[in-house]
Amino acid sequence: MSNRVVCREASHAGSWYSASGSQLNAQLEGWLSQAQSSIRPARAIIAPHAGYTYCGACAAHAYKQVDPTVTRRVFILGPSHHVPLSRCALSPADIYRTPLYDLRIDQKVYADLWKTGLFERMSVQTDEDEHSIEMHLPYTAKAMESHKDEFSIVPVLVGALSESKEQEYGKLLSKYLADPSNLFIISSDFCHWGQRFRYTYYDESQGEIYRSIEHLDKMGMSIIEQLDPMSFTNYLKKYRNTICGRHPIGVLLNVSATEEQVWIQVFRVPRWIQ
């Protein structure tokens, strides 16, 4: 049996964000310095996965809520952009590289998830092609740097799940969210508007197009923050909003209720092109 350590390279470094550790660190520190800590420690955050030129400042507001003194495991749920999935998939890697430092996948949790039979295994190529999880790795590394040898990550690639599948995965992950040492990061940009995305919903009563998009997204955010999966499903059915992380969000909303109140704070970057 091979003991070879499998590493996922930081494949989007140098294009979607800086490949220079010192430059990236300075950028993250700058964005974080402008953000306020309001509900720390967060148990779950929803943050964007666009290039840092577009979302770096926005994502800082989410990661400012992370408390490294209590967090020991970080679940990162991101949507699949490049391969069709009807279930969720786990990485074949042991290590995720970032320009700051390497992140270690929690193989014990992975082993427990494998035993359920509910997960597929993605290839290294699929893993490195996908950006939805990777865009959260530098921020995770930065937020946790004071305890960088004391935490692990659990990356999960989420497919186009049915409502029943979202409920099934939510129930499965509920025991992990119930543990206050676990943090859930949900990777999602919000409305992708324009002909390129085949979505041109426009509520003229809101004024200009961007106002309509903002109103639509904020409507969805309000529902998400109520932790009501059925209302979120009905919202998506009604407006067809192109929230590319809607299935990871659906999984989170379906996590079984715990004794503790779980606060979710959403940070949005819309993408709209005529």
Side-chain angles (χ1 to χ4, degrees):
M1 186 172 182
S2 174
N3 292 320
R4 182 174 66 91
V5 174
V6 178
C7 296
R8 181 205 184 276
E9 299 299 327
S11 53
H12 292 76
S15 54
W16 291 54
Y17 58 93
S18 176
S20 164
S22 59
Q23 183 180 50
L24 179 60
N25 185 66
Q27 289 175 335
L28 296 175
E29 285 186 349
W31 289 320
L32 287 166
S33 70
Q34 299 300 311
Q36 299 298 315
S37 177
S38 58
I39 57 168
R40 192 176 187 185
R43 300 292 305 285
I45 58 175
I46 300 175
H49 54 240
Y52 281 4
T53 299
Y54 305 102
C55 80
C58 176
H61 293 280
Y63 282 91
K64 190 75 169 186
Q65 317 313 318
V66 176
D67 186 347
T69 67
V70 299
T71 302
R72 291 296 172 264
R73 188 181 294 113
V74 180
F75 287 76
I76 308 174
L77 278 61
S80 175
H81 286 85
H82 303 293
V83 296
L85 283 176
S86 60
R87 302 197 298 168
C88 292
L90 303 179
S91 173
D94 301 288
I95 298 293
Y96 271 20
R97 297 200 185 283
T98 83
L100 302 181
Y101 58 90
D102 293 346
L103 303 180
R104 175 178 53 86
I105 291 180
D106 193 314
Q107 295 300 332
K108 182 180 184 303
V109 172
Y110 255 26
D112 290 341
L113 296 179
W114 281 123
K115 290 176 184 176
T116 67
L118 295 176
F119 293 85
E120 299 178 23
R121 183 187 297 274
M122 58 178 133
S123 67
V124 173
Q125 186 65 57
T126 294
D127 202 350
E128 292 184 349
D129 285 346
E130 181 56 60
H131 64 274
S132 69
I133 293 174
E134 181 180 342
M135 297 310 295
H136 292 277
L137 303 179
Y139 255 119
T140 297
K142 182 61 181 175
M144 294 296 299
E145 67 179 347
S146 62
H147 290 71
K148 66 181 183 180
D149 296 322
E150 302 172 26
F151 81 100
S152 57
I153 62 171
V154 183
V156 179
L157 189 63
V158 180
L161 306 180
S162 63
E163 290 178 44
S164 62
K165 283 292 185 184
E166 289 180 356
Q167 294 168 4
E168 186 174 21
Y169 284 106
K171 182 178 180 180
L172 173 66
L173 295 174
S174 63
K175 69 176 183 179
Y176 298 106
L177 187 61
D179 183 342
S181 68
N182 291 332
L183 168 70
F184 275 71
I185 296 172
I186 307 301
S187 176
S188 180
D189 294 332
F190 271 67
C191 184
H192 288 48
W193 194 97
Q195 294 296 336
R196 173 186 171 189
F197 304 108
R198 300 180 182 178
Y199 187 73
T200 55
Y201 171 84
Y202 178 30
D203 181 355
E204 294 184 4
S205 70
Q206 297 299 320
E208 296 185 48
I209 291 173
Y210 78 91
R211 292 290 188 189
S212 173
I213 296 170
E214 183 177 45
H215 177 74
L216 180 67
D217 276 354
K218 286 185 175 179
M219 193 189 315
M221 290 178 184
S222 178
I223 293 170
I224 291 167
E225 290 173 352
Q226 294 168 21
L227 304 178
D228 185 346
M230 185 54 65
S231 292
F232 184 60
T233 296
N234 290 337
Y235 160 83
L236 292 173
K237 288 179 178 179
K238 181 176 181 178
Y239 295 102
R240 304 291 178 181
N241 192 354
T242 50
I243 300 173
C244 65
R246 58 191 175 275
H247 295 296
I249 292 171
V251 170
L252 179 65
L253 295 183
N254 277 284
V255 169
S256 301
T258 63
E259 293 183 3
E260 293 185 70
Q261 177 66 49
V262 177
W263 294 92
I264 299 177
Q265 195 158 18
V266 187
F267 300 90
R268 160 190 175 271
V269 172
R271 182 175 299 177
W272 61 292
I273 300 174
Q274 291 278 8

